[in-house]
Amino acid sequence: MQTDSSFTFVLFGGTGDLSMRKILPALYEAHRAGMLAASGKIVAVARHEEDRAGYLQWVNEHVKAHVAKSGIDEGAWASFVDRIEYVKLDLGKAEDFVKLRDALQDQSGTRVFYLATGPSLFVPICHALASVGLNENARIVLEKPLGYDLRSSNAINDAVGEIFAEEQIYRIDHYLGKEPVQNLLALRFGNALFEPLWRREWVESIQITIAEELGVEARGDFYDNTGALRDMVQNHLLQLLSIVAMEPPHSMDSDSVRDEKLRVLRALKPIDPRDISKVAVRGQYHAGVIRGTSVPAYATESGVKTDSATETFVALKVEIENWRWAGVPFFLRTGKRLADRVAEIVVNFRAVPHSALGASALRAGANRLVIRLQPNEMIRLYCLAKKPGEGMNLSSVHLDLAFDQFFKEGQMEAYQRLLLDVINGRLALFVRRDEQEAAWKWVEPILNEWAASGKPKPYAAGTWGPAAASAMLAQHGTCWLEEEN
């Protein structure tokens, strides 16, 4: 489906890593699929001394490698780069924003400003846009992290909110655009099979994991002042938790969905600082081996302080104090330099209360739903079946929804979906300010306690994190999915 109207997509940080790896490839895929209005334009903005030809050469060198598996269609690529203009802009020069306004004067339709920059630049850019009248009839996209804590997040939101109305602000979290997350909503609210089971009477526990094999790469300076709790938990993991646990919305319009997510975030049981050691584990990777390659310790990475107490791993036990989920533990986990790259949601259903078929039917986790977000997106339902042959011997089997096999159409990448939603004015998959505030309020006691306490627990790169993360689940009679397998 094509975008509703003409648009001008202004990309601040147009030469940056995020633009090259995610944003421009996503716009190219939307263009190739015929989803962008023919009159739509892309205006890249950066400080580099380039003309349009020089910028397009940069795009050719750095974007093509990140296009999806289907590769480049040279005809589509040529017509895509025809959409792109380049404006050199120094944020410290007011006259450069006048030049930007003049460059946009002949463009019609929706105007989108995407800030693929550091959060410290969000407010100066917004003020500069307003100074030349570019905040009117426009949408602004803010990348994470939006602040360092609740206070700084509120400061940014207050400043941006003076210039753009809330319905103009799109706070992006790309995990919400992933196909399996959308399918989770379809499974829950479109099928009578799952919704009656989606509650404390039938769910024993839920795990949400976002694991990375990579370390901090070239982001040591940024990451050492951020850490896994701010970088991943406050946004991605709590957003996934709210999608899993939310009540059925009245409709799929933006405020109905976000109202239900907010109710979950506000129902999170506050963490008492005295209990943090029981429900929160933080770790930091040391040297190790990943897929046969030796990797260094976090403290020796470029840009990282040698005595750093920044966590690269977090595991949490979370409870939701409402009627549907009271007493059900949610286990959240994220980390760098772990044994595998995987993002998944695991719903463990309770065992049957009594079985005439033997102990296998009473095993925890015999019935389980696994929603894999990456690397291979799929949904898998585990259940028990009789083994062929004599006797009533049960074995675990699974039913798969593998999207690439079941649906012949190509899958839409998360950024592609979200960028189309921005252009078309759909806010449901973006984070509202009150959601963000609720997440920061819940996270802050952990941040404060960790800032006042000792160093994170060490774990070897290439493992699944500190042993304390496994011990935390063992106290509840369960384990992480990979440990069971």
Side-chain angles (χ1 to χ4, degrees):
M1 184 179 70
Q2 193 180 76
T3 51
D4 297 335
S5 61
S6 182
F7 66 91
T8 305
F9 189 96
V10 183
L11 178 57
F12 283 85
T15 58
D17 183 61
L18 180 64
S19 296
M20 298 297 111
R21 287 188 304 107
K22 295 293 184 183
I23 300 171
L24 288 174
L27 288 170
Y28 163 72
E29 292 292 353
H31 167 85
R32 177 165 64 172
M35 294 178 170
L36 298 181
S39 56
K41 294 293 182 183
I42 300 165
V43 179
V45 175
R47 295 183 61 179
H48 289 244
E49 293 282 357
E50 298 278 4
D51 57 13
R52 180 174 183 270
Y55 181 71
L56 292 185
Q57 182 178 347
W58 179 273
V59 168
N60 269 291
E61 292 172 0
H62 293 84
V63 174
K64 283 186 174 181
H66 299 292
V67 169
K69 299 173 185 176
S70 51
I72 292 285
D73 176 321
E74 291 298 341
W77 179 259
S79 57
F80 171 68
V81 297
D82 280 346
R83 294 180 182 268
I84 301 176
E85 303 291 340
Y86 179 74
V87 175
K88 177 190 174 296
L89 187 146
D90 186 330
L91 296 180
K93 295 181 178 179
E95 61 269 23
D96 280 8
F97 280 86
V98 174
K99 184 171 65 174
L100 175 63
R101 181 192 63 193
D102 293 344
L104 301 180
Q105 221 155 26
D106 295 333
Q107 306 294 343
S108 61
T110 301
R111 189 172 286 161
V112 173
F113 295 103
Y114 196 116
L115 306 194
T117 68
S120 62
L121 300 179
F122 291 172
V123 174
I125 291 173
C126 289
H127 278 298
L129 291 172
S131 71
V132 294
L134 288 177
N135 59 317
E136 299 175 9
N137 299 317
R139 296 165 190 158
I140 188 142
V141 185
L142 305 179
E143 267 286 349
K144 78 168 186 75
L146 201 68
Y148 183 78
D149 51 19
L150 179 61
R151 181 178 178 181
S152 58
S153 175
N154 280 342
I156 292 173
N157 278 317
D158 286 344
V160 174
E162 291 175 359
I163 297 163
F164 293 92
E166 179 64 27
E167 60 269 19
Q168 293 177 277
I169 302 171
Y170 291 69
R171 300 173 189 86
I172 196 165
D173 187 326
H174 70 275
Y175 275 85
L176 297 183
K178 289 182 175 291
E179 197 72 58
V181 176
Q182 302 301 297
N183 254 302
L184 175 58
L185 295 174
L187 281 175
R188 277 197 61 192
F189 305 135
N191 296 283
L193 175 66
F194 287 105
E195 180 56 25
L197 303 179
W198 215 263
R199 58 188 66 250
R200 59 187 176 85
E201 291 88 350
W202 300 108
V203 175
E204 184 177 67
S205 66
I206 294 177
Q207 301 174 16
I208 306 177
T209 293
I210 303 176
E212 300 176 89
E213 287 185 335
L214 293 176
V216 295
E217 305 307 295
R219 300 167 69 231
D221 287 329
F222 161 77
Y223 196 88
D224 206 39
N225 291 303
T226 304
L229 190 63
R230 290 183 177 92
D231 190 43
M232 298 297 290
V233 176
Q234 182 272 331
N235 40 71
H236 297 328
L237 281 167
L238 288 186
Q239 282 293 314
L240 291 177
L241 170 67
S242 66
I243 289 284
V244 171
M246 65 189 276
E247 294 296 319
H250 170 68
S251 70
M252 294 307 292
D253 71 76
S254 59
D255 281 329
S256 292
V257 172
R258 297 190 295 179
D259 285 348
E260 296 305 333
K261 287 163 56 191
L262 177 63
R263 288 189 179 96
V264 173
L265 293 170
R266 287 180 171 171
L268 293 176
K269 182 179 180 180
I271 290 186
D272 188 324
R274 295 169 296 183
D275 294 331
I276 283 179
S277 61
K278 301 175 186 175
V279 298
V281 177
R282 62 171 174 159
Q284 185 185 100
Y285 66 81
H286 287 202
V289 177
I290 296 180
R291 302 192 186 279
T293 301
S294 296
V295 296
Y298 172 75
T300 65
E301 300 271 22
S302 175
V304 175
K305 297 184 290 293
T306 55
D307 61 345
S308 174
T310 298
E311 77 284 353
T312 62
F313 175 95
V314 175
L316 300 170
K317 178 201 166 201
V318 179
E319 294 182 58
I320 300 173
E321 295 185 313
N322 65 16
W323 192 269
R324 182 183 290 267
W325 295 112
V328 176
F330 288 71
F331 298 105
L332 313 184
R333 175 178 60 163
T334 186
K336 290 189 174 294
R337 292 294 191 204
L338 298 183
D340 200 2
R341 173 180 174 263
V342 63
E344 64 189 8
I345 300 163
V346 180
V347 181
N348 290 311
F349 294 100
R350 296 189 186 278
V352 295
H354 170 76
S355 174
L357 303 177
S360 296
L362 296 172
R363 179 172 57 83
N367 298 140
R368 167 182 291 144
L369 184 68
V370 177
I371 301 122
R372 177 70 60 87
L373 308 179
Q374 65 183 30
N376 51 323
E377 299 180 345
M378 65 157 195
I379 296 176
R380 175 171 289 176
L381 177 64
Y382 288 86
C383 54
L384 293 176
K386 177 187 175 299
K387 286 183 180 180
E390 188 179 5
M392 184 57 72
N393 298 310
L394 302 182
S395 179
S396 179
V397 298
H398 52 80
L399 309 173
D400 284 355
L401 172 54
F403 301 110
D404 57 346
Q405 296 177 26
F406 199 86
F407 297 108
K408 300 307 178 187
E409 316 89 71
Q411 286 188 59
M412 191 182 292
E413 293 292 330
Y415 268 96
Q416 182 181 343
R417 174 181 287 106
L418 294 172
L419 295 183
L420 289 171
D421 278 1
V422 175
I423 293 169
N424 286 321
R426 296 189 288 257
L427 278 158
L429 299 183
F430 295 85
V431 180
R432 205 167 57 191
R433 176 174 179 169
D434 48 10
E435 291 181 73
Q436 195 172 64
E437 288 183 2
W440 274 120
K441 285 178 181 177
W442 186 82
V443 161
E444 274 210 328
I446 310 173
L447 287 170
N448 294 338
E449 183 65 19
W450 282 354
S453 60
K455 286 194 170 185
K457 298 179 183 298
Y459 66 95
T463 67
W464 283 102
S470 297
M472 183 172 67
L473 269 69
Q475 293 173 0
H476 295 273
T478 188
C479 63
W480 299 106
L481 181 61
E482 78 280 349
E483 293 173 334
E484 182 173 304
N485 293 341

